[in-house]
Amino acid sequence: MTSRLTDEELERLLADPQQRHNPLLPALEELLKRDREQRERLERLLRISDCSYDMARSQTDDLLHQYDRQLRRLEKITRISDRYQRSLLELNEQLKKAALRDPLTGLANRRLLMERLGDELERCRRGGAPFSLVMLDADHFKRINDAFGHDAGDRVLCMLADTVCRQLRGYDLCARWGGEEFMLLLPETGLEQATGMVERVMQAVRSLTLEGDRQIPLSVSAGLTSYLPDEHVDLTINRADGALLQAKHNGRDRLLVVPH
């Protein structure tokens, strides 16, 4: 096995006086010179390569740091956006509720009532059973306002709303029609069944009293009718309203049923 001569060993051989007349001496000197030049070039390339690697690594580290920072910012923005979206959804639900509910009693307002009436009309057209409508009105409500103030009147309306709703089924609807008037929508309910329900409502209201300087008994008058197939719903509403007016004219605290 042969071993490679080092530069120092080659230089000593070339400087040996005995090799002065060796015909290969110039060629060997030239080869040694080129070998040194090539190694110097290689070393420079290695240094350049090392610098380039260090720069590339530094740039990569900077990019990763920037990426992590941007990712954290994006995650923060996403969390803020999620909270904002939830707030918007909650606000939308509140606005929807406010648009469909009476602010005092929490009952459905006219808008929601008319939407439900539209659903019932569509169901009837598909062959469903007719529904019944009831118009309720608090008796002597103006006297309560005049004698005890509007705050007392508001308490009465809330008491009536709560009492009426507790007598209804889950799919029935009690809406505030206006002032001290309420309307009941009773789906798939004929006059006989609706009559019993309204009488229970009126009896529950009779058990209420307005507490103050003196106890004031409460009562309601009611007009009841059923929807007739193919008629305009306004006619049904007017029929129930007319029955209510007649019940109040007949002495209040009573129910008048109008079949058609």
Side-chain angles (χ1 to χ4, degrees):
M1 179 180 294
T2 60
S3 59
R4 185 177 181 276
L5 294 175
T6 64
D7 290 351
E8 291 78 7
E9 291 172 335
L10 286 173
E11 288 177 353
R12 283 199 299 271
L13 287 174
L14 294 175
D16 189 348
Q18 295 180 4
Q19 304 295 333
R20 185 177 302 171
H21 301 291
N22 190 324
L24 297 177
L25 183 61
L28 290 173
E29 290 176 341
E30 182 64 25
L31 286 173
L32 180 60
K33 178 182 177 183
R34 292 187 179 183
D35 180 66
R36 287 175 175 170
E37 292 174 350
Q38 291 297 329
R39 276 186 286 176
E40 288 176 358
R41 291 193 186 97
L42 182 60
E43 289 176 357
R44 286 198 299 271
L45 289 174
L46 288 174
R47 287 195 296 272
I48 294 172
S49 176
D50 290 342
C51 290
S52 298
Y53 173 76
D54 291 340
M55 292 177 61
R57 184 172 180 177
S58 177
Q59 291 175 352
T60 301
D61 291 342
D62 289 342
L63 288 174
L64 288 174
H65 178 70
Q66 293 178 20
Y67 172 78
D68 290 339
R69 186 172 60 185
Q70 293 297 330
L71 183 60
R72 288 193 296 270
R73 289 182 60 190
L74 181 60
E75 290 174 347
K76 182 178 180 180
I77 291 173
T78 301
R79 289 193 298 269
I80 294 173
S81 177
D82 289 342
R83 289 197 298 268
Y84 182 66
Q85 289 293 331
R86 286 194 296 270
S87 298
L88 284 179
L89 289 175
E90 292 172 359
L91 179 60
N92 186 58
E93 287 299 319
Q94 293 173 2
L95 290 174
K96 183 178 179 181
K97 182 178 179 180
L100 299 176
R101 294 285 172 180
D102 174 58
L104 175 63
T105 62
L107 297 176
N109 59 16
R110 280 201 186 196
R111 178 178 176 182
L112 180 55
L113 173 65
M114 297 311 293
E115 289 182 4
R116 283 286 302 275
L117 278 173
D119 295 338
E120 287 302 313
L121 290 171
E122 184 61 29
R123 186 187 54 77
C124 287
R125 294 190 185 100
R126 295 196 301 267
F131 56 87
S132 291
L133 286 182
V134 184
M135 192 76 81
L136 295 174
D137 186 84
D139 293 329
H140 304 296
F141 188 73
K142 187 176 184 302
R143 294 182 186 176
I144 295 174
N145 276 335
D146 292 344
F148 302 99
H150 289 282
D151 288 343
D154 289 346
R155 290 201 308 274
V156 168
L157 292 176
C158 291
M159 291 168 59
L160 292 177
D162 181 66
T163 301
V164 171
C165 288
R166 283 191 279 110
Q167 307 304 315
L168 302 180
R169 302 162 298 186
Y171 52 85
D172 297 326
L173 181 68
C174 178
R176 187 177 180 188
W177 186 249
E180 65 273 21
E181 289 186 337
F182 304 89
M183 181 178 287
L184 309 184
L185 170 60
L186 309 177
E188 299 186 15
T189 306
L191 283 178
E192 182 177 355
Q193 184 181 4
T195 298
M197 295 178 62
V198 177
E199 288 176 345
R200 288 195 299 273
V201 167
M202 296 177 68
Q203 185 59 41
V205 172
R206 292 187 189 105
S207 67
L208 300 176
T209 54
L210 175 63
E211 301 292 339
D213 296 337
R214 57 191 177 90
Q215 291 186 341
I216 304 298
L218 302 178
S219 65
V220 292
S221 300
L224 165 64
T225 192
S226 285
Y227 172 74
L228 300 179
D230 298 325
E231 77 172 345
H232 197 284
V233 71
D234 286 347
L235 295 176
T236 315
I237 294 173
N238 290 337
R239 207 161 47 245
D241 188 53
L244 169 64
L245 292 176
Q246 188 61 46
K248 295 180 77 66
H249 181 74
N250 291 345
R252 295 184 173 81
D253 190 20
R254 63 192 62 208
L255 166 65
L256 184 68
V257 181
V258 179
H260 55 76

